[in-house]
């Protein structure tokens, strides 16, 4: 038996604005990091990597919020349809970006004197990316930003399984206990990790989840701020001061500006459009930058403000390619994912009571 797809959640413009700004900041970080000489221009992008932290908080908030829109409430009997929608929505563009990166690198290697070598494509390399197992193999990510998608997909699985337990109105003590356990586990694992700055960022999902509970389960703000502080202090203790500040600031924006978001993004405005294609920009910008930054530097070598021109042209090219990718790949994947019904598996689990709707105006 199948049900209709979940009702579309009212758009929260602050999320679109933050998505767009986060993707833009990560792209600008990589572009300006390509400049060899220290300069004011390079400093402008030095901390753009915090866009990743914004993305993680946003995912912690918006994914369970969208789950709360399932007709009759989300329960484990809807896990297959939830994961199917996520796979179509996220995985198809991800796989397309892998093909784009490999194809672009192969074409670049065919240009005499380019200095690029055709990538060695093996079944193991592709499989490690499809299943996000690259850190457990001898392969390297084709694009460095893919590690964040591995974290995202792990979060989808976990929230799909544990949503009925931690996103109920009466589950506040359990949610607090789970939050403490996650912070403790991250504290224990971070020193053992090959990438400790990656591991400690797992607590950012806790921040987003706590804000989502404030919306969906009507938790009092004091409880939400306490969870945000716990996650922030955990990250701070692990050497992630800036990540903690950015994560907390993003959480507070989602708490305080959710009904005044039009001050940051208007329907049809630039930030909303950028937010709509933020995923496309995120998964394509690095390969475009890698291939085009140096050639553009040669073209503008004698221009006034040549470094600024090099970075601006690279960003414009990244945005243009991202828009094309969005129109051709991501938007069709979005539409296809929305057509997947919220199927039930009878006798699997009780449903969660319907969530309180968030005011969108």
């Amino acid at each position: 038996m199948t049900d209709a797809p979940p009702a579309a959640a009212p758009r929260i413009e602050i999320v679109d604005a933050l998505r767009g700004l986060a993707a833009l900041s990560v792209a600008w970080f990589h572009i300006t990091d390509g400049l060899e000489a220290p300069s004011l221009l390079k400093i402008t992008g030095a901390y753009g990597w915090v866009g990743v932290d914004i993305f993680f908080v946003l995912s912690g908030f918006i994914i369970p919020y969208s789950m709360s829109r399932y007709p009759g409430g989300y329960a484990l009997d809807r896990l297959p349809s939830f994961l199917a929608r996520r796979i179509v929505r996220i995985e198809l563009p991800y796989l397309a970006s892998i093909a784009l990166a490999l194809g672009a690198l192969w074409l670049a290697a065919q240009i005499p004197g380019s200095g690029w070598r055709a990538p060695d494509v093996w079944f193991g390399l592709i499989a490690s990316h499809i299943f996000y197992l690259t850190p457990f193999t001898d392969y390297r990510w084709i694009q460095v930003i893919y590690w964040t998608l591995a974290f995202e997909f792990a979060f989808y699985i976990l929230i799909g399984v544990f949503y009925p337990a931690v996103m109920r109105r009466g589950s506040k003590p359990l949610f607090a206990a789970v939050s403490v356990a996650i912070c403790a586990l991250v504290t224990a694992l971070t020193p053992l990790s090959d990438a400790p700055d990656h591991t400690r960022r797992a607590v950012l999902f806790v921040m987003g989840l706590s804000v989502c509970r404030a919306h969906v389960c009507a938790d009092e703000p004091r409880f939400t701020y306490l969870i945000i502080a716990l996650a922030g202090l955990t990250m701070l203790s692990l050497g992630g001061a800036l990540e903690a500040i950015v994560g907390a600031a993003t959480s507070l924006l989602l708490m305080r500006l959710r009904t005044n978001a039009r001050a940051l993004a208007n329907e049809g405005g630039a930030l909303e459009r950028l937010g709509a294609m933020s995923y496309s920009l995120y998964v394509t910008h690095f390969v475009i930058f890698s291939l085009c930054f140096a050639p553009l530097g040669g073209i503008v070598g004698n221009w006034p403000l040549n470094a600024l021109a090099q970075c601006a042209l690279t960003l414009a090219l990244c945005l243009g390619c991202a828009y094309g990718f969005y129109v051709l790949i991501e938007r069709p994947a979005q539409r296809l994912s929305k057509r997947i019904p919220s199927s039930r598996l009878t006798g699997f689990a009780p449903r969660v009571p319907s969530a309180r709707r968030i005011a969108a105006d």
Side-chain angles (χ1 to χ4, degrees), residues 207-227:
M207 291 185 178
L209 272 169
S210 67
V211 177
C212 185
R213 275 192 58 93
H215 296 322
V216 173
C217 303
D219 288 345
E220 62 273 18
R222 182 173 57 182
F223 174 77
T224 304
Y225 297 147
L226 182 62
I227 298 298

Side-chain angles (χ1 to χ4, degrees), residues 1-360:
M1 178 179 178
T2 60
D3 301 317
R11 295 201 70 84
I12 306 174
E13 287 84 357
I14 186 65
V15 173
D16 286 327
L18 290 174
R19 276 176 176 159
L21 290 173
L24 189 63
S25 69
V26 173
W28 190 246
F29 162 71
H30 285 133
I31 290 170
T32 55
D33 193 52
L35 297 170
E36 295 181 1
S39 64
L40 181 61
L41 181 60
K42 189 165 185 171
I43 292 174
T44 63
Y47 298 102
W49 49 266
V50 299
V52 170
D53 305 295
I54 296 174
F55 275 127
F56 284 173
V57 175
L58 292 178
S59 292
F61 166 73
I62 202 64
I63 298 303
Y65 171 60
S66 67
M67 295 166 73
S68 74
R69 306 289 299 180
Y70 273 75
Y74 177 87
L76 281 178
D77 57 5
R78 298 190 188 271
L79 178 62
S81 67
F82 166 71
L83 290 180
R85 290 167 67 89
R86 286 287 91 195
I87 288 172
V88 172
R89 168 68 181 86
I90 300 298
E91 293 298 293
L92 290 184
Y94 165 60
L95 295 177
S97 75
I98 292 174
L100 172 67
L102 292 175
L105 291 172
W106 183 86
L107 287 174
Q110 309 312 306
I111 302 174
S114 67
W116 288 96
R117 183 174 65 87
D120 296 324
V121 181
W122 298 93
F123 172 79
L125 173 70
I126 302 302
S128 72
H129 278 69
I130 292 175
F131 298 103
Y132 298 109
L133 297 175
T134 300
F136 306 102
T137 69
D138 294 330
Y139 298 109
R140 298 175 60 185
W141 292 113
I142 296 170
Q143 295 194 80
V144 295
I145 53 93
Y146 285 156
W147 72 266
T148 64
L149 303 186
F151 269 53
E152 289 275 351
F153 201 77
F155 173 70
Y156 299 155
I157 295 173
L158 291 174
I159 193 61
V161 172
F162 293 105
Y163 180 100
V166 300
M167 293 299 292
R168 292 181 294 106
R169 287 179 180 264
S171 66
K172 189 167 66 173
L174 176 61
F175 178 74
V178 169
S179 299
V180 171
I182 291 173
C183 291
L185 181 63
V186 169
T187 301
L189 293 180
T190 296
L192 306 177
S193 173
D194 293 333
D197 58 325
H198 297 354
T199 304
R200 68 190 179 213
R201 282 169 157 151
V203 300
L204 293 166
F205 292 106
V206 174
M207 291 185 178
L209 272 169
S210 67
V211 177
C212 185
R213 275 192 58 93
H215 296 322
V216 173
C217 303
D219 288 345
E220 62 273 18
R222 182 173 57 182
F223 174 77
T224 304
Y225 297 147
L226 182 62
I227 298 298
I228 293 172
L230 169 67
L233 289 173
T234 299
M235 184 170 285
L236 184 64
S237 70
L238 297 171
L242 186 56
E243 297 104 310
I245 293 171
V246 170
T250 303
S251 302
L252 295 178
L253 278 173
L254 293 172
M255 280 288 289
R256 306 296 295 176
L257 298 180
R258 64 185 184 273
T259 59
N260 297 313
R262 292 185 185 276
L264 291 178
N266 296 315
E267 187 172 351
L271 277 180
E272 184 181 3
R273 292 174 183 173
L274 183 60
M277 68 175 202
S278 59
Y279 184 54
S280 293
L281 176 61
Y282 190 73
V283 297
T284 62
H285 79 272
F286 191 80
V287 68
I288 303 301
F289 149 73
S290 299
L291 294 175
C292 300
F293 188 75
L296 285 173
I299 293 173
V300 304
N302 296 321
W303 291 13
L305 301 175
N306 57 341
L308 177 60
Q310 182 183 11
C311 291
L313 288 174
T314 304
L315 180 61
L317 191 57
C318 289
L319 289 170
C321 291
Y323 180 74
F325 188 90
Y326 170 72
V327 171
L328 296 175
I329 304 296
E330 184 183 2
R331 191 160 61 185
Q334 289 177 347
R335 292 170 177 167
L336 182 60
S337 71
K338 291 177 181 178
R339 295 174 61 184
I340 298 176
S342 54
S343 304
R344 319 193 84 98
L345 299 178
T346 55
F348 204 72
R351 293 191 296 275
V352 177
S354 298
R356 180 173 61 91
R357 298 181 66 172
I358 301 175

